[in-house]
Amino acid sequence: MQQTPKTTYLSDYQPTDYRVDSIDLHFDLHETKTIVKSKLSIQKLDNSPKTPPLKLNGEELLLKSVSLNGKQLSSTQYALSDESLIIPEVPESFELAIETEINPKANTALTGLYLSGGNFCTQCEAQGFRRITYMLDRPDVMARYTTTLVADKAQYPVLLANGHLRESGELGANRHWAKWADPFPKPTYLFALVAGDLARIEDQFITQSGRQVTLQIYVQSHNIDKCQHAMQSLKKAMRWDEDVYGREYDLDIYMIVAVDDFNMGAMENKGLNIFNSEYVLAKPETATDSDYEDIEGVIAHEYFHNWSGNRVTCRDWFQLSLKEGFTVFRDQEFSADMTSRGVKRIQDVNILRTHQFREDASPMAHPVRPESYIEIDNFYTLTVYEKGAEVVRMLHHLLGAENFRKGTDCYFERHDGQAVTTEHFVKALEDANQIDLSQFRLWYSQAGTPELEISRTYNEAAKSYTLTVKQSTPGQDQNKPFHIPLAIGLLDKQGQDMPLQLQGESAAIKGTRVLHIRAAAQDFTFQNLNEQPIPSLLRGFSAPVKVKMDLSDEERCFLMMHDSDDFNRWDAGQQLAVKIMTQLVEDVHQNRALQVADAFIEAYQEILNNDTLDKALATQAISLPSESYLGSFMEPIDPVAIHQVRRFMRQTIAQRLRDLFLKVYHRLADEGRGEYRIDQTSISLRSLKNLCLSYLMELNDEDIIKSCYRQFLDSNNMTDVMAALQPLANTDCAEREAALAHFYQQWKHEPLVVDKWLAIQANSRLPGTLDQVKRLTQHEAFDIKNPNKVRALIGAFAHNNHAQFHENSGIGYAFLTDMILQIDPMNSQISSCLVEAYTLWRKYDVQRQALLKQQLEKIADAPRLSKNVYEIVSKSLG
Ligand code: TRP
Ligand code: ZN
């Protein structure tokens, strides 16, 4: 980095001096030389008396000409820099015509206009539009767009942009054109165009008011057989948003385009979503059950943005969670309604607790509404998305579904067509319900994960029970106390919920009730309890906090079997496993023999024996916490010991329950035979069956390896194939090599399946994995310019394969640094994701700290570092 990059502060926010009412764009599309003509109609706003200079953003552009009200400006009439075009003298109202030249083919950053699979596409969030033409590239400048595309007819028969197709026609020299107009004013980040050779499927949706909407999904023609699930998901999402939020779609057409080269999951461009093909393409032979679920969720997420993001958008990028947190909450609830609510909640909390808590404990910690950034791309984070969703979930919980809906109706009506802040969102919920959320707002402005330390006393004589709750935020000492909704229940000896009556109340509530934690320390005394209860705390994970309480192993086992709250039944098992496993890591350090208590294994046995349990929930209940999650309970983190312990636990469980696992595996395999179906019952069945297989494969037993290999060969769906390939890839046996080779031969023409093949090898626990990963970077299947490939191979190794990545000598680190420095000049959004593997360096032992710090310093010293990587590295070292 030659110069220290500049920090942007929320407190510096100023509205613009000018507004842009309309933009007329014209693209003459050529791979290496695209000419963009832009006509802006600009008006001075009333906030300044004079006409200040007009400053437009622009990067990597070749300026060909600028004219103001039809008169070409000479180069003395404007100032051009690497990042801007400034015109010092402008009238109050004028038309500006700008011509720029860009090179889509050279665009490896995948932001702005670029090529994917030979087709043109765009990605403008957050600040990609400025790589297309000069413009006020910020979300509070909303304009009406018309877009004309001109391209070679044979190579790019399909020409798409936002809104409705207005006209199209032929030109000489085999070129053709199309003109699109979007009636809704929008910020630059929602602009999109696509030009390419694409096939499509089409469907219709009739909205609640009876309007007909055309739905189209565009893919490369060989993928046309993998679009049906995405289309069904879209229709479900459209109906759900009408039913639950009263939100109707507003254009006559909704288009989705799948591309193979994409930095993130998908993008909600108005009327023209562009998707990473990973979140569109599925057929049973190529996609797993969880791929199917992810597609449904992401399709819905982008569709929901049409209201939460597009109709009501963000004033500035500090408000990102306004659209993302809210939209994630909406897609989570949609998926809960479409699939299994209990399992969905467990999955979402797992992601939050493992990855967002980690971020909140790192040097990159920031509030849901950050106060400053160097590079906004670095703030598309788990905190903004997942914790932001938890904050909205708490609001939903505090208000109740009906009042929450009143609040969102007020929000959408009041701010339709505006660019607003998280404050406007909270205010709308407040105003619609006459409640006071002042303390609650701290969730948007304070970083860190609050911790609740809870102790209990039972007074036998008084038959009263007191919970003492203390809150604090480790690492964020200046935080004021949060308002934390703590949902709890108290169980009697039979495992029944006891009636809850706080002191001073005349009646009891049966089941769950919510305690409102608002102070640093608070007592809650329950009365009329005839026996000492077992507390069930933070039911349903009612707030994104950590709870510390001295429950005994017996109590956790009891909750695991009896809690009426699905989530807490699962969580009791997780917390018990965490306790056992952190103790085992200690035993490893002390060279003590490892063993697992009978009670724990018996609990697993009981779950497996119980045919009446929901199979998907049972699967979650007998899954051990991940190595990443376990690491968050240890300081220093010892990734090698954690891996050893987790493996020991799985082997021990498998040995002790071998016959039962075999029985359940074979029974479910029989039951599930036949045609592949993607309904909840079938998905749950496969999940439990395959979990049994993965435990059994811990035994290194020849017969089991054989039946695993048979499942690999004989299955008619990717879920069962992957479930067999994964444990094989972790086992040193002949079937391993045969399966991996067979899989590649079969699927080498399906990029998304090849990604699975790369990831499975990068995640292998066998020795020599790093060497294999290095070899794979040279394989024809790998492409360092493709984000999905980099994530599948390098991301998986650095973020998931802890024991090998953190191998003592530091060779895993040296490899990653090398990759980061190669990728950074091409695509800084991807290199910065990889650097995240280093941010927690201070949580490791002194030897690893030294090695990790060296890597960060080496990166910091590299010439021409991107702003993205610079920000993460400097904050990590600082
Ligand atoms: N808004 C997108 C979403 O729904 C996120 C996104 C897609 C994005 N592509 C991006 C963000 C590129 C930054 C850069 O979550
Ligand atoms: Zn989003």
Side-chain angles (χ1 to χ4, degrees):
M1 203 72 230
Q2 294 90 332
Q3 243 177 323
T4 310
K6 172 170 142 279
T7 301
T8 305
Y9 295 92
L10 167 59
S11 56
D12 287 346
Y13 173 81
Q14 291 285 341
T16 54
D17 299 313
Y18 297 92
R19 62 170 208 262
V20 180
D21 290 329
S22 67
I23 308 188
D24 188 17
L25 290 166
H26 184 284
F27 289 83
D28 195 14
L29 294 164
H30 295 273
E31 287 198 350
T32 55
K33 188 176 171 173
T34 286
I35 301 295
V36 185
K37 292 181 188 155
S38 163
K39 263 189 219 145
L40 311 171
S41 138
I42 302 181
Q43 251 66 239
K44 188 181 82 70
L45 286 162
D46 304 329
N47 49 12
S48 61
K50 294 217 212 65
T51 52
L54 175 72
K55 183 177 173 188
L56 303 179
N57 310 97
E59 283 170 19
E60 312 264 314
L61 302 172
L62 183 62
L63 180 65
K64 307 284 276 193
S65 74
V66 198
S67 342
L68 202 152
N69 287 337
K71 273 224 181 98
Q72 183 150 347
L73 300 185
S74 73
S75 59
T76 56
Q77 290 171 297
Y78 58 82
L80 203 57
S81 80
D82 282 355
E83 295 189 332
S84 65
L85 167 66
I86 300 174
I87 307 175
E89 307 267 343
V90 292
E92 297 225 335
S93 166
F94 56 101
E95 192 186 90
L96 198 64
I98 303 172
E99 188 177 324
T100 53
E101 181 189 318
I102 51 180
N103 183 348
K105 191 160 186 186
N107 183 349
T108 53
L110 313 184
T111 160
L113 179 69
Y114 65 95
L115 286 164
S116 176
N119 299 322
F120 289 98
C121 64
T122 54
Q123 171 55 41
C124 291
E125 188 173 4
Q127 298 176 334
F129 195 82
R130 61 186 66 182
R131 293 161 55 93
I132 295 174
T133 182
Y134 290 98
M135 173 61 184
L136 285 163
D137 188 13
R138 43 187 280 174
D140 59 348
V141 174
M142 298 170 78
R144 281 201 177 77
Y145 285 65
T146 53
T147 307
T148 305
L149 304 87
V150 181
D152 183 90
K153 192 170 182 208
Q155 234 181 319
Y156 311 104
V158 174
L159 304 176
L160 311 173
N162 313 91
H164 299 126
L165 180 65
R166 286 288 174 242
E167 280 175 88
S168 63
E170 310 266 323
L171 290 167
N174 295 320
R175 293 181 76 78
H176 69 149
W177 61 277
K179 180 175 181 178
W180 292 76
D182 181 357
F184 292 94
K186 65 169 175 289
T188 47
Y189 83 89
L190 291 173
F191 169 79
L193 74 76
V194 169
D197 186 1
L198 297 164
R200 69 158 194 240
I201 66 162
E202 187 170 298
D203 209 331
Q204 311 297 327
F205 181 83
I206 309 290
T207 70
Q208 59 186 7
S209 72
R211 289 180 29 253
Q212 180 174 310
V213 182
T214 300
L215 313 177
Q216 296 174 338
I217 299 180
Y218 289 84
V219 296
Q220 291 175 305
S221 61
H222 58 270
N223 287 322
I224 200 73
D225 60 336
K226 305 190 197 77
C227 300
Q228 279 309 326
H229 176 66
M231 183 63 88
Q232 295 316 312
S233 302
L234 175 60
K235 290 200 279 183
K236 286 181 191 169
M238 294 177 87
R239 187 62 71 213
W240 188 90
D241 212 16
E242 292 183 344
D243 292 347
V244 180
Y245 283 85
R247 298 291 118 199
E248 185 173 330
Y249 187 61
D250 50 12
L251 289 168
D252 300 340
I253 184 164
Y254 192 88
M255 298 173 283
I256 291 174
V257 180
V259 301
D260 287 340
D261 303 274
F262 203 74
N263 284 340
M264 306 270 280
M267 183 62 213
E268 69 265 25
N269 318 303
K270 184 78 187 191
L272 177 57
N273 287 185
I274 297 180
F275 269 62
N276 186 328
S277 53
E278 184 184 355
Y279 294 109
V280 176
L281 305 179
K283 60 178 180 180
E285 295 79 8
T286 60
T288 63
D289 293 346
S290 70
D291 294 333
Y292 273 81
E293 289 176 354
D294 291 349
I295 289 168
E296 187 172 83
V298 177
I299 293 262
H301 178 98
E302 306 310 331
Y303 174 72
F304 296 156
H305 269 315
N306 190 55
W307 275 96
S308 49
N310 301 4
R311 289 287 288 256
V312 182
T313 196
C314 301
R315 186 193 74 174
D316 55 76
W317 292 118
F318 297 101
Q319 316 302 328
L320 183 55
S321 199
L322 174 78
K323 73 177 177 82
E324 296 303 346
F326 186 22
T327 304
V328 170
F329 171 68
R330 279 149 56 70
D331 84 57
Q332 288 176 345
E333 285 297 291
F334 165 75
S335 294
D337 285 346
M338 296 301 123
T339 60
S340 151
R341 180 162 285 273
V343 173
K344 177 66 180 156
R345 187 67 187 136
I346 289 168
Q347 290 166 340
D348 291 338
V349 173
N350 246 335
I351 290 171
L352 185 89
R353 283 204 304 215
T354 310
H355 303 292
Q356 195 278 325
F357 282 15
R358 175 190 188 282
E359 184 169 278
D360 241 346
S362 84
M364 286 297 289
H366 54 275
V368 169
R369 186 198 58 210
E371 238 110 73
S372 70
Y373 58 74
I374 291 177
E375 172 54 69
I376 184 57
D377 291 346
N378 285 336
F379 286 79
Y380 286 75
T381 59
L382 287 135
T383 301
V384 166
Y385 277 66
E386 316 303 321
K387 185 177 180 179
E390 291 300 319
V391 171
V392 177
R393 181 176 298 276
M394 286 190 284
L395 288 166
H396 184 270
H397 197 181
L398 289 173
L399 295 172
E402 207 173 302
N403 292 336
F404 182 78
R405 169 67 193 272
K406 273 195 221 151
T408 59
D409 283 352
C410 169
Y411 168 71
F412 287 125
E413 197 196 329
R414 201 183 262 181
H415 299 297
D416 189 6
Q418 297 176 4
V420 300
T421 65
T422 56
E423 174 54 29
H424 290 101
F425 179 74
V426 178
K427 189 75 169 57
L429 299 193
E430 247 176 359
D431 290 353
N433 291 288
Q434 279 95 51
I435 49 154
D436 177 5
L437 295 168
S438 9
Q439 190 185 2
F440 188 86
R441 284 172 168 79
L442 293 171
W443 283 108
Y444 285 97
S445 59
Q446 297 187 158
T449 307
E451 222 167 79
L452 295 179
E453 214 180 296
I454 307 181
S455 57
R456 51 184 163 165
T457 39
Y458 179 63
N459 183 332
E460 182 121 38
K463 307 221 171 297
S464 72
Y465 184 70
T466 302
L467 292 175
T468 302
V469 185
K470 293 194 181 130
Q471 68 161 298
S472 62
T473 319
Q476 308 281 341
D477 329 319
Q478 27 13 292
N479 274 5
K480 298 192 191 104
F482 288 93
H483 173 194
I484 300 171
L486 177 68
I488 68 148
L490 299 176
L491 274 64
D492 67 17
K493 298 274 167 324
Q494 276 69 51
Q496 299 296 312
D497 277 327
M498 299 168 90
L500 304 181
Q501 186 176 6
L502 282 170
Q503 219 156 45
E505 291 178 344
S506 51
I509 295 176
K510 206 158 160 50
T512 303
R513 72 177 290 167
V514 179
L515 305 179
H516 292 274
I517 317 296
R518 296 171 180 275
Q522 251 170 294
D523 277 354
F524 297 88
T525 298
F526 297 90
Q527 45 187 9
N528 297 328
L529 294 172
N530 292 323
E531 54 179 273
Q532 169 150 8
I534 296 171
S536 163
L537 304 169
L538 201 68
R539 280 186 162 173
F541 200 71
S542 60
V545 301
K546 292 182 186 170
V547 174
K548 281 197 170 160
M549 187 174 203
D550 63 338
L551 291 177
S552 68
D553 292 0
E554 291 68 34
E555 286 175 311
R556 291 194 205 274
C557 254
F558 186 85
L559 289 168
M560 192 176 164
M561 303 317 296
H562 300 291
D563 201 319
S564 62
D565 187 74
D566 281 353
F567 177 85
N568 270 22
R569 236 177 13 258
W570 167 78
D571 198 33
Q574 294 292 297
Q575 296 320 314
L576 180 56
V578 165
K579 195 170 161 217
I580 294 171
M581 290 162 89
T582 45
Q583 182 56 52
L584 285 172
V585 168
E586 206 33 51
D587 293 339
V588 169
H589 289 155
Q590 305 300 326
N591 271 317
R592 285 193 288 256
L594 304 186
Q595 55 190 44
V596 186
D598 289 344
F600 187 77
I601 292 179
E602 280 156 17
Y604 271 40
Q605 183 171 16
E606 227 175 286
I607 291 166
L608 271 168
N609 267 324
N610 188 342
D611 289 345
T612 63
L613 284 182
D614 175 90
K615 291 187 182 61
L617 280 173
T619 305
Q620 296 294 337
I622 59 172
S623 296
L624 292 174
S626 68
E627 292 178 19
S628 312
Y629 185 56
L630 287 163
S632 70
F633 293 89
M634 281 164 217
E635 220 169 324
I637 304 171
D638 182 345
V640 175
I642 291 172
H643 180 75
Q644 184 188 337
V645 161
R646 192 166 186 278
R647 210 167 155 200
F648 166 79
M649 287 284 284
R650 285 175 51 85
Q651 271 169 344
T652 309
I653 295 165
Q655 279 155 9
R656 295 277 299 278
L657 303 179
R658 179 195 162 104
D659 294 341
L660 185 54
F661 277 129
L662 274 172
K663 191 180 92 186
V664 177
Y665 173 72
H666 287 298
R667 193 187 72 225
L668 296 178
D670 282 342
E671 238 178 84
R673 230 174 278 289
E675 202 199 328
Y676 173 83
R677 277 197 310 264
I678 181 86
D679 52 58
Q680 275 316 297
T681 318
S682 316
I683 292 173
S684 309
L685 184 147
R686 283 189 288 273
S687 73
L688 185 57
K689 175 189 73 178
N690 288 327
L691 185 71
C692 291
L693 177 62
S694 87
Y695 273 108
L696 288 164
M697 280 293 284
E698 295 288 346
L699 297 172
N700 228 329
D701 174 306
E702 257 183 55
D703 290 335
I704 292 167
I705 292 173
K706 286 216 176 69
S707 43
C708 184
Y709 189 52
R710 195 153 317 116
Q711 172 168 327
F712 169 79
L713 290 176
D714 295 349
S715 299
N716 61 359
N717 66 86
M718 186 52 81
T719 305
D720 288 335
V721 171
M722 284 298 285
L725 186 58
Q726 201 143 14
L728 283 173
N730 281 328
T731 308
D732 188 7
C733 60
E735 288 84 350
R736 174 187 203 269
E737 301 316 314
L740 284 169
H742 180 279
F743 190 86
Y744 184 68
Q745 276 314 311
Q746 187 175 3
W747 297 115
K748 63 181 172 193
H749 301 299
E750 293 282 356
L752 297 173
V753 185
V754 172
D755 293 345
K756 296 180 194 301
W757 182 76
L758 292 171
I760 234 171
Q761 295 179 82
N763 279 322
S764 170
R765 67 185 180 208
L766 293 184
T769 292
L770 174 60
D771 288 332
Q772 177 61 6
V773 170
K774 285 182 184 168
R775 273 195 295 279
L776 286 170
T777 61
Q778 306 302 317
H779 194 282
E780 59 168 15
F782 185 70
D783 174 4
I784 199 166
K785 295 205 174 109
N786 178 272
N788 287 359
K789 297 281 175 270
V790 172
R791 276 186 284 260
L793 187 64
I794 301 158
F797 182 75
H799 295 302
N800 293 327
N801 200 337
H802 301 280
Q804 309 217 25
F805 173 61
H806 292 282
E807 194 265 347
N808 296 336
S809 70
I811 48 171
Y813 305 154
F815 166 71
L816 182 66
T817 299
D818 193 39
M819 285 304 177
I820 290 168
L821 293 176
Q822 273 188 56
I823 295 168
D824 196 48
M826 297 188 272
N827 188 333
S828 56
Q829 285 186 33
I830 301 303
S831 53
S832 54
C833 292
L834 296 176
V835 180
E836 303 269 353
Y838 291 147
T839 53
L840 277 192
W841 66 280
R842 283 199 177 85
K843 306 263 182 211
Y844 292 86
D845 54 86
V846 285
Q847 288 89 346
R848 285 198 179 85
Q849 278 189 31
L851 291 167
L852 286 160
K853 187 162 178 247
Q854 262 174 29
Q855 303 304 320
L856 286 164
E857 285 165 348
K858 182 172 175 195
I859 297 170
D861 284 345
R864 302 179 61 82
L865 211 56
S866 68
K867 282 207 289 183
N868 310 49
V869 168
Y870 170 84
E871 177 168 37
I872 298 174
V873 168
S874 59
K875 287 183 176 170
S876 298
L877 288 170

